[in-house]
Amino acid sequence: MAAELFPAKKLPTVTPTAVQQYQQQNVSNNNTIQGCNWQGLYPTIRERNAVMFNNELMADIHFVVGPPGGTQRVPGHKYVLAVGSSVFHAMFYGELAEDKDEIRIPDVEPASFLAMLKYIYCDEIDLCADTVLATLYAAKKYIVPHLARACVNFLETSLSARNACVLLSQSCLFEEPDLTQRCWEVIDAQAELALRSEGFCDIDAQTLESILRRETLNAKEMVVFEAALSWAEAECHRQELQPTIENKRLVLGKNIYLIRIPAMALDDFANGVAQSGVLTLNETNDIFLWYTAAKKPELKFVCKPRKGLTPQRCHRFQSCAYRSNQWRYRGRCDSIQFAVDKRVFIAGFGLYGSSCGSAEYQAKIELKRQGVTLGLAIIKYFSDGSSNTFPVFFEYPVQIEPDTFYTASVVLDGNELSYFGQEGMTEVQCGKVTFQFQCSSDSTNGTGVQGGQIPELIFYA
């Protein structure tokens, strides 16, 4: 992913890709300048500076970048670097400036250092998922704030349950509160996916503690327990310990008491935690007494269930009705498209039920983006004959990005006619989130913006 901050003008005497070709060549530090009047080829200082990126020509400083065994020698130009970074200015022109020809930087990756230099020399931001964290570290170290902001924006855009825990750890390290908040939003709403991700096992102990303390974590406590054990096994390997039950308990330390074991279902405790061997015999006995005895023992564990998140509902109709020949289901699809202005997590839909007394329906619900299925579930629900909506949920909440249309669909199987919505709205404000609706070409049973099924979207924000 690349972002051009100041787009270059096309020149009549130079091919449009000439500067880019120099830059690509310079990444490997094997460039050559053809001719003695190369400056005449480029009318702007930006383009002439870009040619000097990672170029030995007129270089008055060199950096040996990277850890031992993985270093790269990078040429630089003090004036250009000092203009782009106050740290480089102090290093080369400050009161404590040292007159060195070569500077070693073992704590920055070569690719990330070059990405930073490319921004300083070329006004271009070139980021990729593999190096963006290391580039953020370099931008923070050398106080290049606009590049650091671009790195944070890149991370926020690519944030998902798969990487949220790792990015939470890094955002705290880099003191980026906005990114930290975005990470918590994903972890809270998609807690079970985040806890089961590979990245969860890579976090540090302090981040583990903060997650286990989280009151709004939207997950079953058994999933939290299993995730903590997976982290403990990975930590044993990091500390070069055998991943025995005893060592797992050792590396977890007091964090074990942040797992709300007494708040689990009794079946989960008896068939899972109690037989894992992680708890002592006394702890196991005391927790069994907690479940069953009138006089409960004191426990070191947190006993109250987590509050989790309260789902919100976006209702898109102003009224509902029923008629003698509507709304009928014969395996056809009811569908609507929607977009939001902020990231949300769709947990499920609210659906209408029978208008002819109590009845059971089978619902196949689906959430798609540009034809790609993001969530799918087949669920039975019972309706009591009222005009209320009845919730149906996906297995995990689905992350929805702003300013992109998604398609919500349901195929209902049931003999009874149902209520249907009327006076549909194209825009609905729910708290701080604005939903927009438009008709979907997938809808073959009559649902649209003005009326039909799928009256509610159930979401976390």
Side-chain angles (χ1 to χ4, degrees):
M1 176 181 176
E4 183 117 4
L5 298 185
F6 303 101
K9 296 179 181 178
K10 293 184 179 180
L11 306 175
T13 55
V14 188
T15 60
T17 58
V19 175
Q20 287 86 347
Q21 289 173 348
Y22 271 124
Q23 292 167 3
Q24 183 60 38
Q25 192 177 30
N26 287 1
V27 168
S28 302
N29 195 15
N30 61 355
N31 59 81
T32 56
I33 299 294
Q34 301 296 330
C36 60
N37 189 29
W38 62 269
Q39 294 90 337
L41 296 175
Y42 307 104
T44 68
I45 185 65
R46 177 188 178 277
E47 292 168 305
R48 291 193 290 275
N49 260 359
V51 173
M52 303 309 294
F53 164 57
N54 201 16
N55 197 322
E56 290 287 353
L57 182 66
M58 295 186 285
D60 52 359
I61 190 66
H62 286 82
F63 302 93
V64 179
V65 186
T71 60
Q72 182 175 337
R73 196 167 189 265
V74 179
H77 307 79
K78 292 181 179 180
Y79 167 74
V80 178
L81 295 170
V83 168
S85 160
S86 60
V87 174
F88 283 130
H89 181 273
M91 189 182 296
F92 301 137
Y93 300 108
E95 293 180 0
L96 301 178
E98 296 182 21
D99 188 17
K100 291 183 178 180
D101 295 328
E102 187 174 275
I103 297 173
R104 295 189 175 274
I105 309 176
D107 59 331
V108 177
E109 293 294 330
S112 300
F113 189 77
L114 286 170
M116 181 180 69
L117 292 197
K118 187 173 184 179
Y119 169 74
I120 291 175
Y121 277 80
C122 311
D123 275 335
E124 290 185 11
I125 297 176
D126 192 358
L127 302 173
C128 67
D130 292 337
T131 59
V132 63
L133 280 172
T135 304
L136 176 58
Y137 174 78
K140 287 279 190 175
K141 177 175 181 177
Y142 291 99
I143 312 181
V144 187
H146 297 293
L147 177 59
R149 185 67 249 168
C151 290
V152 171
N153 290 340
F154 182 95
L155 292 170
E156 288 182 355
T157 302
S158 59
L159 184 60
S160 69
R162 180 178 55 85
N163 60 16
C165 294
V166 171
L167 292 183
L168 174 67
S169 177
Q170 297 296 321
S171 67
C172 295
L173 176 66
F174 292 132
E175 297 181 342
E176 287 290 342
D178 290 343
L179 179 57
T180 300
Q181 179 59 31
R182 299 289 88 76
C183 290
W184 277 127
E185 290 171 3
V186 174
I187 293 169
D188 281 343
Q190 295 183 300
E192 295 193 359
L193 286 175
L195 293 172
R196 286 172 169 154
S197 68
E198 291 183 10
F200 178 78
C201 294
D202 296 330
I203 62 177
D204 58 88
Q206 186 175 354
T207 304
L208 173 71
E209 179 182 346
S210 66
I211 292 174
L212 294 182
R213 287 186 182 278
R214 191 74 174 172
E215 189 69 33
T216 47
L217 210 59
N218 202 32
K220 295 177 182 176
E221 208 62 32
M222 189 63 197
V223 175
V224 178
F225 175 77
E226 290 169 348
L229 284 191
S230 296
W231 179 88
E233 182 171 348
E235 184 66 13
C236 284
H237 290 303
R238 285 190 285 269
Q239 296 188 22
E240 299 182 350
L241 298 172
Q242 288 296 317
T244 61
I245 291 297
E246 293 77 17
N247 284 336
K248 289 180 184 179
R249 176 67 187 254
L250 176 67
V251 298
L252 280 171
K254 293 183 179 180
N255 286 331
I256 189 72
Y257 300 117
L258 300 176
I259 305 171
R260 305 189 180 193
I261 295 173
M264 288 181 182
L266 179 57
D267 285 350
D268 285 342
F269 175 72
N271 297 316
V273 180
Q275 298 186 41
S276 68
V278 174
L279 303 183
T280 66
L281 184 58
N282 285 340
E283 288 170 341
T284 302
N285 289 338
D286 284 347
I287 293 174
F288 267 121
L289 287 173
W290 172 269
Y291 282 110
T292 57
K295 185 178 180 181
K296 300 184 183 302
E298 288 189 9
L299 300 176
K300 291 183 178 180
F301 295 90
V302 179
C303 298
K304 289 196 309 181
R306 300 178 196 273
K307 292 180 181 178
L309 295 176
T310 302
Q312 302 180 53
R313 297 189 179 217
C314 173
H315 196 91
R316 65 188 191 91
F317 296 125
Q318 298 181 71
S319 65
C320 69
Y322 69 91
R323 295 177 188 147
S324 59
N325 62 342
Q326 291 180 322
W327 205 261
R328 189 180 299 279
Y329 305 101
R330 294 173 180 169
R332 293 190 292 251
C333 180
D334 288 287
S335 184
I336 191 71
Q337 288 195 326
F338 70 94
V340 292
D341 63 346
K342 293 180 176 62
R343 176 183 284 156
V344 300
F345 303 87
I346 296 294
F349 308 149
L351 302 177
Y352 287 122
S354 170
S355 59
C356 306
S358 60
E360 186 178 68
Y361 292 89
Q362 178 172 283
K364 177 185 177 183
I365 61 173
E366 189 172 13
L367 198 56
K368 294 189 293 186
R369 177 182 179 180
Q370 298 176 347
V372 178
T373 298
L374 305 177
L376 178 67
I378 298 176
I379 301 166
K380 289 184 178 180
Y381 72 95
F382 181 82
S383 68
D384 58 10
S386 72
S387 60
N388 296 329
T389 59
F390 301 91
V392 290
F393 295 98
F394 295 105
E395 182 179 7
Y396 302 111
V398 179
Q399 182 170 316
I400 303 298
E401 296 299 332
D403 305 322
T404 300
F405 274 94
Y406 293 78
T407 303
S409 303
V410 60
V411 177
L412 283 170
D413 183 11
N415 294 326
E416 300 294 342
L417 298 174
S418 81
Y419 288 90
F420 60 91
Q422 295 183 132
E423 301 178 277
M425 297 172 282
T426 58
E427 184 173 299
V428 180
Q429 186 76 29
C430 293
K432 296 181 179 180
V433 183
T434 302
F435 285 79
Q436 291 183 321
F437 294 95
Q438 67 181 24
C439 293
S440 167
S441 59
D442 291 350
S443 191
T444 57
N445 199 42
T447 287
V449 173
Q450 295 302 317
Q453 261 287 6
I454 319 180
E456 289 180 336
L457 298 178
I458 304 171
F459 68 99
Y460 301 114

Coordinates of all heavy atoms in Angstrom, one line a residue, residues 330-360:
R330 N -41.5 -19.1 0.2 CA -41.4 -20.3 -0.6 C -39.9 -20.5 -1.0 O -39.6 -20.8 -2.2 CB -42.3 -20.2 -1.8 CG -43.8 -20.1 -1.4 CD -44.6 -19.8 -2.6 NE -46.1 -19.8 -2.3 CZ -47.0 -19.3 -3.1 NH1 -46.7 -18.9 -4.3 NH2 -48.3 -19.3 -2.7
G331 N -39.0 -20.4 -0.1 CA -37.6 -20.6 -0.4 C -37.0 -19.4 -1.1 O -35.8 -19.6 -1.6
R332 N -37.7 -18.3 -1.2 CA -37.1 -17.1 -1.9 C -36.4 -16.3 -0.9 O -36.6 -16.3 0.3 CB -38.2 -16.3 -2.6 CG -38.8 -17.1 -3.7 CD -39.7 -16.2 -4.5 NE -40.9 -15.8 -3.8 CZ -42.1 -16.2 -4.1 NH1 -42.3 -17.1 -5.0 NH2 -43.2 -15.8 -3.3
C333 N -35.5 -15.4 -1.4 CA -34.6 -14.6 -0.6 C -35.1 -13.2 -0.3 O -35.6 -12.5 -1.2 CB -33.2 -14.5 -1.3 SG -32.0 -13.6 -0.4
D334 N -35.1 -12.8 0.9 CA -35.3 -11.4 1.3 C -34.0 -10.8 1.6 O -33.2 -11.3 2.4 CB -36.2 -11.4 2.6 CG -37.7 -11.8 2.3 OD1 -38.4 -11.0 1.6 OD2 -38.1 -12.9 2.6
S335 N -33.7 -9.7 1.0 CA -32.4 -9.1 1.1 C -32.4 -7.6 1.1 O -33.3 -7.0 0.5 CB -31.6 -9.6 -0.1 OG -30.2 -9.1 0.0
I336 N -31.5 -6.9 1.8 CA -31.4 -5.5 1.8 C -29.9 -5.1 1.9 O -29.1 -5.9 2.5 CB -32.1 -4.9 3.0 CG1 -32.2 -3.3 2.9 CG2 -31.5 -5.3 4.3 CD1 -33.2 -2.9 1.8
Q337 N -29.5 -4.0 1.3 CA -28.1 -3.5 1.4 C -28.0 -2.4 2.4 O -29.0 -1.6 2.5 CB -27.6 -3.1 0.0 CG -27.3 -4.2 -0.9 CD -26.4 -3.8 -2.1 OE1 -26.5 -2.6 -2.6 NE2 -25.6 -4.7 -2.6
F338 N -26.9 -2.3 3.1 CA -26.7 -1.3 4.1 C -25.3 -0.8 4.1 O -24.4 -1.6 3.8 CB -27.2 -1.7 5.5 CG -26.3 -2.7 6.1 CD1 -25.3 -2.4 7.0 CD2 -26.5 -4.1 5.8 CE1 -24.5 -3.3 7.6 CE2 -25.7 -5.1 6.4 CZ -24.7 -4.7 7.3
A339 N -25.0 0.4 4.6 CA -23.7 0.9 4.9 C -23.7 1.7 6.1 O -24.8 2.2 6.6 CB -23.2 1.8 3.7
V340 N -22.6 1.8 6.8 CA -22.4 2.6 8.0 C -21.3 3.6 7.9 O -20.5 3.5 7.0 CB -22.2 1.7 9.2 CG1 -23.3 0.8 9.5 CG2 -20.9 0.8 9.0
D341 N -21.3 4.6 8.8 CA -20.3 5.6 8.8 C -19.2 5.4 9.8 O -18.2 6.2 9.9 CB -20.9 7.0 8.9 CG -21.6 7.2 10.3 OD1 -21.8 6.2 11.0 OD2 -21.9 8.4 10.6
K342 N -19.4 4.4 10.6 CA -18.3 4.0 11.6 C -18.3 2.4 11.6 O -19.2 1.8 11.3 CB -18.7 4.5 13.0 CG -18.6 6.0 13.1 CD -19.0 6.4 14.5 CE -18.8 7.9 14.7 NZ -19.7 8.7 13.9
R343 N -17.1 1.9 12.0 CA -16.9 0.5 12.1 C -17.9 -0.1 13.2 O -18.0 0.5 14.3 CB -15.5 0.1 12.5 CG -15.3 -1.4 12.8 CD -13.9 -1.6 13.2 NE -12.9 -1.5 12.1 CZ -11.6 -1.3 12.2 NH1 -11.1 -1.0 13.4 NH2 -10.9 -1.2 11.2
V344 N -18.6 -1.1 12.8 CA -19.5 -1.8 13.8 C -19.4 -3.3 13.6 O -18.6 -3.7 12.7 CB -21.0 -1.4 13.6 CG1 -21.2 0.1 13.8 CG2 -21.5 -1.8 12.2
F345 N -20.0 -4.0 14.4 CA -20.0 -5.5 14.4 C -21.4 -6.0 14.4 O -22.1 -5.9 15.3 CB -19.2 -6.1 15.5 CG -17.8 -5.5 15.6 CD1 -17.5 -4.3 16.3 CD2 -16.7 -6.1 15.0 CE1 -16.3 -3.7 16.3 CE2 -15.4 -5.6 15.1 CZ -15.2 -4.4 15.7
I346 N -21.8 -6.6 13.3 CA -23.2 -7.2 13.1 C -23.2 -8.5 13.8 O -22.5 -9.5 13.4 CB -23.6 -7.3 11.7 CG1 -23.6 -5.9 11.0 CG2 -25.0 -8.0 11.6 CD1 -24.7 -5.0 11.6
A347 N -24.0 -8.6 14.9 CA -24.2 -9.9 15.6 C -25.3 -10.7 15.0 O -25.3 -12.0 15.1 CB -24.5 -9.6 17.1
G348 N -26.3 -10.1 14.4 CA -27.4 -10.9 13.8 C -28.5 -9.9 13.3 O -28.3 -8.7 13.2
F349 N -29.7 -10.5 13.0 CA -30.8 -9.8 12.5 C -32.0 -9.9 13.4 O -32.1 -11.0 14.1 CB -31.2 -10.2 11.1 CG -30.1 -10.3 10.1 CD1 -30.2 -11.2 9.1 CD2 -29.1 -9.4 10.1 CE1 -29.2 -11.3 8.1 CE2 -28.0 -9.5 9.2 CZ -28.1 -10.4 8.2
G350 N -32.9 -9.0 13.4 CA -34.2 -9.1 14.0 C -35.2 -9.4 12.9 O -35.2 -8.7 11.9
L351 N -36.0 -10.5 13.0 CA -36.9 -10.9 11.9 C -38.4 -10.9 12.4 O -38.6 -11.1 13.6 CB -36.6 -12.3 11.4 CG -35.1 -12.5 10.9 CD1 -34.9 -14.0 10.5 CD2 -34.9 -11.6 9.7
Y352 N -39.3 -10.7 11.5 CA -40.7 -10.8 11.9 C -41.1 -12.3 11.9 O -40.5 -13.1 11.3 CB -41.6 -10.1 10.8 CG -41.5 -8.6 10.9 CD1 -41.1 -7.8 9.8 CD2 -41.8 -7.9 12.1 CE1 -41.1 -6.4 9.8 CE2 -41.8 -6.5 12.1 CZ -41.4 -5.8 11.0 OH -41.4 -4.4 11.1
G353 N -42.1 -12.5 12.7 CA -42.7 -13.9 12.8 C -44.1 -13.9 12.4 O -44.6 -13.0 11.7
S354 N -44.7 -15.0 12.7 CA -46.1 -15.4 12.2 C -47.1 -14.3 12.6 O -47.2 -13.9 13.7 CB -46.5 -16.8 12.7 OG -47.8 -17.0 12.4
S355 N -48.0 -14.1 11.6 CA -49.2 -13.2 11.8 C -50.4 -14.0 12.1 O -51.5 -13.5 12.2 CB -49.4 -12.3 10.7 OG -49.6 -13.0 9.5
C356 N -50.3 -15.4 12.1 CA -51.4 -16.3 12.3 C -51.3 -17.2 13.5 O -51.6 -18.4 13.5 CB -51.5 -17.1 11.0 SG -51.6 -16.2 9.5
G357 N -50.8 -16.6 14.6 CA -50.6 -17.4 15.8 C -49.2 -17.9 15.9 O -48.3 -17.6 15.0
S358 N -48.9 -18.6 16.9 CA -47.5 -19.1 17.1 C -47.0 -20.0 16.0 O -47.8 -20.8 15.5 CB -47.3 -19.8 18.5 OG -48.2 -20.9 18.5
A359 N -45.8 -20.0 15.7 CA -45.2 -20.8 14.6 C -43.7 -20.8 14.7 O -43.1 -19.9 15.3 CB -45.6 -20.3 13.2
E360 N -43.1 -21.8 14.1 CA -41.6 -22.0 14.0 C -41.2 -21.8 12.6 O -41.8 -22.2 11.7 CB -41.2 -23.4 14.5 CG -39.7 -23.5 14.7 CD -39.3 -24.9 15.2 OE1 -39.5 -25.9 14.5 OE2 -38.8 -24.9 16.4

